[in-house]
Amino acid sequence: MRRPLHAEWTKLRTLPSTWWLLTATVVLTAALGATAAASVTTRVCPTPCDTDTVKLTLSGVQLSQATCLVLGALSMGAEYSTGTIRTTLTAMPGRWRVLASKAAVLSLLTAVAGALGVLSSLGLAHLILPTPPHGAPLRPTTGSILILVLVTLLGLSLATLLRDTAAAITLGLGILYVVPILANLINSPTWQHRLQRWSPMPAALSVQATKHLNTLAIAPWPGLGVLAAYATALLALGGVWFRLRDA
């Protein structure tokens, strides 16, 4: 795996879009989180505050996940659009190794950017909130980073399946944002509950909650598991499709 990993790292680090998207992930996560934290005042939420300030502070993940999706989609879609995928497969015929290497390098880069963004959000919250959260809660912090990593892999898997960056991004954004909106528009409480429980993003975001856990449609870690299941299944399906089809 050393050669495929080195090759994918070289390709990703030499693309300006990679660093722009990773920087945007950090900035959007921290900036939106700080903005959300600034909205909480003692007048809006008197002490003791019942608002889940940790989840509010980490709300920037809901926006920065879009940049992670684009990063994952571009890593494969750009090779198809430029035709360099043929060069890649000529140099490294093992298609599963190519896909696994892309996934590994993308996961590492996204995890670093996600950690910087999430920890920056929590650090700014300590400066802004009238009653800041104590420390960096392990589950919401780790879970938020994993959300960004899994969304990146979702983008990679969609681009592998569709072989088109624009189509992968459009479908991915629909999964991330349109489905939760539809869940809120449906009049049936039963179907609202089902969509919030089994749609990847509403379910995954439950990992950020620190209060009122009994009101969640799905428990925090199982909710993150829903997103992981979607990303893993689509990546496996993309790998099979990548293996069977010609470049």
Side-chain angles (χ1 to χ4, degrees):
M1 288 293 293
R2 183 181 300 175
R3 286 182 62 237
L5 284 170
H6 184 267
E8 294 305 327
W9 163 244
T10 302
K11 282 188 282 187
L12 282 172
R13 71 180 175 82
T14 53
L15 288 174
S17 59
T18 299
W19 303 108
W20 280 112
L21 289 167
L22 290 172
T23 302
T25 299
V26 177
V27 172
L28 289 174
T29 302
L32 188 58
T35 302
S39 68
V40 180
T41 62
T42 53
R43 182 176 60 83
V44 174
C45 189
T47 306
C49 186
D50 194 45
T51 300
D52 192 341
T53 54
V54 172
K55 184 174 183 179
L56 188 67
T57 299
L58 296 174
S59 58
V61 170
Q62 297 181 45
L63 184 58
S64 61
Q65 64 183 353
T67 61
C68 293
L69 177 78
V70 173
L71 175 65
L74 278 174
S75 68
M76 180 64 83
E79 290 205 53
Y80 275 109
S81 63
T82 59
T84 54
I85 188 66
R86 296 184 184 89
T87 305
T88 296
L89 295 179
T90 300
M92 295 175 291
R95 299 194 179 197
W96 280 106
R97 288 198 297 272
V98 171
L99 186 59
S101 298
K102 283 185 182 292
V105 174
L106 283 169
S107 297
L108 179 59
L109 290 173
T110 308
V112 172
L116 289 172
V118 167
L119 293 176
S120 297
S121 296
L122 293 169
L124 290 170
H126 277 79
L127 301 174
I128 296 171
L129 287 170
T131 53
H134 297 290
L138 183 59
R139 174 174 50 75
T141 302
T142 306
S144 296
I145 297 169
L146 288 175
I147 285 174
L148 297 177
V149 172
L150 290 170
V151 169
T152 304
L153 296 180
L154 184 67
L156 171 63
S157 62
L158 290 174
T160 305
L161 282 167
L162 300 175
R163 298 187 170 197
D164 184 84
T165 304
I169 293 172
T170 301
L171 180 56
L173 291 176
I175 294 172
L176 296 180
Y177 296 109
V178 176
V179 174
I181 292 173
L182 291 177
N184 293 325
L185 294 177
I186 293 175
N187 291 326
S188 171
T190 301
W191 278 103
Q192 280 188 349
H193 179 79
R194 288 173 179 172
L195 285 173
Q196 290 169 358
R197 186 177 178 85
W198 299 116
S199 298
M201 197 41 57
L205 288 173
S206 64
V207 80
Q208 296 180 337
T210 61
K211 295 182 179 180
H212 312 299
L213 299 185
N214 59 322
T215 64
L216 297 174
I218 188 170
W221 285 120
L224 184 64
V226 170
L227 175 59
Y230 274 91
T232 303
L234 285 172
L235 192 60
L237 183 60
V240 172
W241 199 236
F242 186 47
R243 177 69 180 81
L244 295 177
R245 293 180 66 185
D246 293 333

